[in-house]
Structures are given as structure tokens and as C-alpha cells.
């Protein structure tokens, strides 16, 4: 059953852009989820894995990869608005989490620093940017979750921001094409990553 939409409220988008899947949620000001959607990342038609996409971008096809991703994000947002019965103009906030490769491609940033040692992002995100800079059709700014390193991205950061309380020695593992690992030592988080696609990506 379609949720009741209060037109006096403004709405928020939460987007998780993965190498394989793009996922999104539409929320109201009270934190209620009005819609959730997912779709395949269309970049996969150009290159299957993130390293291949970064190599393709380095070879001069970054704009093509960026447009494919932007098209997928637009499809995702349109589906969320349709399911939630909300007008695009009523979106007041948006937040986006993605791995460093996807973040760089969407933002149109150079990717060579991710491909070659020491594998560091050229920008750290962790702030709001105009949607137009991300080729997104929204009137609000979009918050990009920060990138910890070349292979520890905003998706893990977004999860850790959402952890309310945690005991020292707690370990979190996000297993995907790239497995990201976070350990809380009682004072701060220590994070790393490892390639997991060959073992778990199927």
C-alpha cells in the first residue's frame, strides 16, 4: 500500500552506489522510509569490475563511465520518487555513499592515483557538493561520505557513522567485490580492505 505523503514536509534521499548494484531510500522528515529501490549499475556493460573501470577511465573513457553511472542514478531516483509519490522539487537533502572508485568516477575526478601505488584518493569527500557537479538532477546539495583511503570508501564510513555504541575489540567486515574491515580499539577505528571478489563476489 502506498504511504500517505504530507506535502508540507520535505524529503531526503539516501543513496548507496555499489560496483554491481545501486540502492536508494526516500525518507520524510520524521525518518520514515517511504520508498526503497535498487537497480544494476549500468557501468557493468562497459567493464565488469571496479579496477577495469578505473583502467578504462585512465585510458580516456571516464566521461562515458560517468554518464552511464549518472543514468543509473537518475533511474534509481525516478523509481524512488514514483514509489513514494513525491515530487523532485520537494527533495531537500541527499546523501551518497560509495567506494572511492565509484565516487571518483561520478565526481569526474582523475583516477590514476587509485590505480597506482600508494592508492590514495585525489579528494577525500566528506562534505556537501552541488548535485550538478555529480551529474545529478537535484536542486539540493549532495553530501558525499568521506573516503578513508583508496580502497576504503564512503559506504563503510556511512555504516560506522550509524553505529551508536560499540565495545573495544569490535570488528565489522563488509564483504563485497572489495571487502572492507573496521576494528574499534576503544579510542578510534582502524580500517583496511582486501580483494574478495574471486571468493565471494559470485
Amino acid at each position: 500500500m502506498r504511504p500517505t505523503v504530507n506535502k508540507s514536509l520535505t524529503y531526503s534521499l539516501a543513496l548507496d552506489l555499489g560496483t554491481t548494484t545501486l540502492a536508494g531510500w526516500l525518507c520524510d522528515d520524521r525518518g520514515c522510509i517511504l520508498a526503497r529501490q535498487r537497480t544494476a549499475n549500468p557501468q557493468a556493460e562497459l567493464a565488469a569490475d571496479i579496477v577495469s573501470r578505473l583502467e578504462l577511465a585512465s585510458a580516456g573513457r571516464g566521461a562515458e563511465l560517468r554518464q552511464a553511472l549518472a543514468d543509473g542514478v537518475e533511474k534509481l531516483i525516478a523509481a524512488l520518487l514514483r514509489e513514494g509519490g513525491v515530487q523532485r522539487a520537494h527533495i531537500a537533502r541527499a546523501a551518497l555513499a560509495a567506494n572511492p572508485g565509484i565516487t571518483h568516477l561520478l565526481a569526474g575526478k582523475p583516477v590514476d592515483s587509485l590505480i597506482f601505488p600508494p592508492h590514495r584518493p585525489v579528494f577525500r569527500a566528506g562534505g556537501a557538493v552541488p548535485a550538478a557537479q555529480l551529474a545529478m538532477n537535484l536542486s539540493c546539495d549532495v553530501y558525499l561520505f568521506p573516503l578513508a583511503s583508496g580502497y576504503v570508501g564512503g559506504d563503510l564510513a556511512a555504516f560506522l557513522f550509524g553505529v551508536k555504541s560499540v565495545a573495544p575489540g569490535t570488528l565489522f567486515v563488509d564483504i563485497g567485490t572489495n571487502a572492507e574491515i573496521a576494528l574499534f580499539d576503544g579510542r578510534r577505528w582502524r580500517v583496511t580492505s582486501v580483494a574478495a571478489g574471486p571468493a565471494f563476489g559470485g
Side-chain angles (χ1 to χ4, degrees), residues 58-78:
S58 181
R61 296 180 65 183
E64 187 180 353
L65 284 158
R66 186 189 193 209
Q67 187 59 55
L69 182 56
D71 290 345
V73 171
E74 175 56 30
K75 178 181 177 182
L76 177 66
I77 292 173

Side-chain angles (χ1 to χ4, degrees), residues 29-41:
D29 281 350
R30 298 163 297 193
C32 297
I33 296 175
L34 302 178
R36 53 176 59 120
Q37 290 284 333
R38 56 191 294 148
T39 188
N41 186 333

Side-chain angles (χ1 to χ4, degrees), residues 2 13 16 29 44 67 81-82 97 102 158 166-167 170 175 188 193 196:
R2 181 175 291 237
L13 285 174
D16 179 6
D29 281 350
Q67 187 59 55
L81 296 175
R82 191 164 53 247
I102 295 295
V166 61
T170 299
I175 298 178
R188 61 181 178 173
S193 64

Side-chain angles (χ1 to χ4, degrees), residues 89-160:
H90 293 154
I91 300 299
R93 292 163 301 277
L96 188 156
N99 67 50
I102 295 295
T103 303
H104 278 59
L105 290 171
L106 185 64
K109 300 294 185 181
V111 299
D112 285 1
S113 66
L114 298 178
I115 301 172
F116 302 107
H119 307 292
R120 295 288 184 261
V122 297
F123 80 119
R124 294 287 182 173
V129 300
Q133 289 187 15
L134 304 174
M136 293 172 63
N137 181 22
L138 293 172
S139 58
C140 63
D141 289 346
V142 179
Y143 179 80
L144 295 179
F145 278 93
L147 310 176
S149 73
Y151 288 94
V152 178
D155 40 6
L156 181 65
F159 172 77
L160 296 180

Side-chain angles (χ1 to χ4, degrees), residues 19-20 40-72 102 105:
T19 304
T20 303
N41 186 333
Q43 289 180 326
E45 297 178 8
L46 300 171
D49 59 85
I50 190 61
V51 173
S52 297
R53 291 177 205 176
L54 295 177
E55 291 173 342
L56 204 60
S58 181
R61 296 180 65 183
E64 187 180 353
L65 284 158
R66 186 189 193 209
Q67 187 59 55
L69 182 56
D71 290 345
I102 295 295
L105 290 171

